[in-house]
Amino acid sequence: MRPLETFIEQRKERFVRNSLMSDEFLDFVNKNMKPIEKQMSYYQCAIMEVETKFKVLNEQYSLEYDRNPIEDIKSRVKSMESLIKKIRKKDIPLTLSSIEENIHDIAGVRVICSFLDDIYMLADCLLSQDDITLLEKKDYIKNPKPGGYRSLHLIVSVPIFLQDGKRNMTVEVQLRTIAMDFWASLEHKLRYKKDIPADKAKYLEDEMLACAQISADLDMRMQNIRDVIAENTTPDERPLLLKELS
């Protein structure tokens, strides 16, 4: 290694040891990270509250109608890296109050449903509960995004009960069918492929849009099939039939 490069490396190592590895810097990180980690734990608690509500609804339908409208429930708290990118994109102050006020998808719950009707039924059941407050609703099923994305998004406020009292937290709830979730998962993976030629990128964009329409048609046809069968089922047969269709 040449003398200049050796000198630069030595200065870098000295800076890291004296600054980034100093007790003062570590104390600064711990002091500022603890409030963020505490806030993230609150979001995790809010997720558990919302998940429990959906699991109770699913159990109730299982007992009363012998079917489960929910296929799966997924959840996540936004990673620190994603959160920082969102803060930078929105150009908001780096404070807990500003983050909580301006970023509403830090806590996310995704509910995968069997049929289209189940999405709106579960959304209505959730919003009818007296401790849930609807802050925002975006229906990308009735009004899909230009690229074909479909889902029902609800931003809700839910209380969590802590040692020192109650705290309201914001959670984003997404409700989709199995077909919608399959399409969205593939679209998410393909979105980050950066080395695709422009002509093929346009082809893939058109194909994904076509697949989104096929997916929507499938959801509608499956919903119609269930409705027709249910209309032609006697009351005694209906519980067994609903179990088979769920």
Side-chain angles (χ1 to χ4, degrees):
M1 187 178 290
R2 288 177 294 183
L4 179 59
E5 292 175 344
T6 302
F7 174 76
I8 293 173
E9 286 300 320
Q10 289 174 345
R11 291 295 298 268
K12 283 170 61 178
E13 183 177 351
R14 192 176 305 130
F15 171 78
V16 170
R17 289 186 177 277
N18 294 338
S19 299
L20 299 183
M21 295 178 66
S22 67
D23 291 339
E24 292 80 4
F25 180 77
L26 293 176
D27 289 342
F28 172 81
V29 171
N30 289 330
K31 182 180 178 181
N32 287 275
M33 281 302 295
K34 282 184 179 179
I36 295 176
E37 290 173 351
K38 187 177 181 181
Q39 186 76 2
M40 291 301 156
S41 72
Y42 292 162
Y43 281 114
Q44 187 61 56
C45 292
I47 283 175
M48 290 189 285
E49 290 284 348
V50 174
E51 281 185 324
T52 299
K53 288 177 178 295
F54 280 114
K55 289 176 181 177
V56 169
L57 288 171
N58 199 46
E59 184 66 18
Q60 181 186 7
Y61 263 74
S62 177
L63 290 171
E64 292 190 12
Y65 303 105
D66 210 14
R67 77 179 186 90
N68 299 98
I70 298 176
E71 291 289 333
D72 192 17
I73 299 176
K74 304 174 184 177
S75 62
R76 63 101 183 98
V77 175
K78 191 179 285 293
S79 69
M80 192 58 62
E81 181 182 355
S82 297
L83 182 57
I84 291 171
K85 288 180 179 178
K86 200 76 175 276
I87 292 169
R88 188 184 304 153
K89 182 180 178 181
K90 285 180 170 284
D91 193 23
I92 60 175
L94 192 59
T95 62
L96 288 178
S97 59
S98 176
I99 291 170
E100 191 170 0
E101 182 180 347
N102 292 283
I103 302 178
H104 296 155
D105 63 344
I106 296 175
V109 175
R110 183 176 300 152
V111 182
I112 314 301
C113 301
S114 305
F115 297 95
L116 280 169
D117 282 358
D118 293 333
I119 291 175
Y120 294 101
M121 177 274 294
L122 288 168
D124 289 342
C125 288
L126 177 70
L127 297 177
S128 68
Q129 299 184 22
D130 55 15
D131 59 344
I132 290 288
T133 302
L134 177 65
L135 303 177
E136 186 178 355
K137 178 179 179 180
K138 292 183 179 179
D139 193 338
Y140 295 117
I141 299 174
K142 294 178 180 177
N143 302 288
K145 289 187 177 182
Y149 175 84
R150 287 172 167 82
S151 185
L152 178 64
H153 288 202
L154 307 174
I155 304 295
V156 300
S157 175
V158 58
I160 60 172
F161 297 88
L162 306 167
Q163 183 180 3
D164 55 352
K166 183 175 74 171
R167 183 184 180 95
N168 289 315
M169 301 300 298
T170 303
V171 179
E172 181 188 57
V173 179
Q174 299 177 358
L175 297 106
R176 310 171 173 172
T177 63
I178 302 168
M180 291 175 195
D181 189 58
F182 175 67
W183 184 93
S185 297
L186 288 182
E187 191 272 342
H188 181 75
K189 292 177 182 178
L190 292 172
R191 192 190 315 160
Y192 294 99
K193 300 292 184 181
K194 303 296 185 182
D195 54 347
I196 300 175
D199 58 332
K200 290 187 178 180
K202 180 63 171 64
Y203 164 77
L204 291 175
E205 181 181 333
D206 293 342
E207 279 295 289
M208 288 301 295
L209 186 58
C211 287
Q213 187 57 55
I214 293 170
S215 173
D217 292 341
L218 176 63
D219 276 334
M220 187 61 69
R221 292 178 72 174
M222 294 302 294
Q223 178 71 56
N224 290 338
I225 289 171
R226 190 183 78 164
D227 292 346
V228 169
I229 294 174
E231 288 172 2
N232 291 275
T233 304
T234 65
D236 291 338
E237 294 174 321
R238 192 158 297 173
L240 179 60
L241 173 69
L242 290 175
K243 183 176 182 179
E244 293 173 348
L245 287 172
S246 64

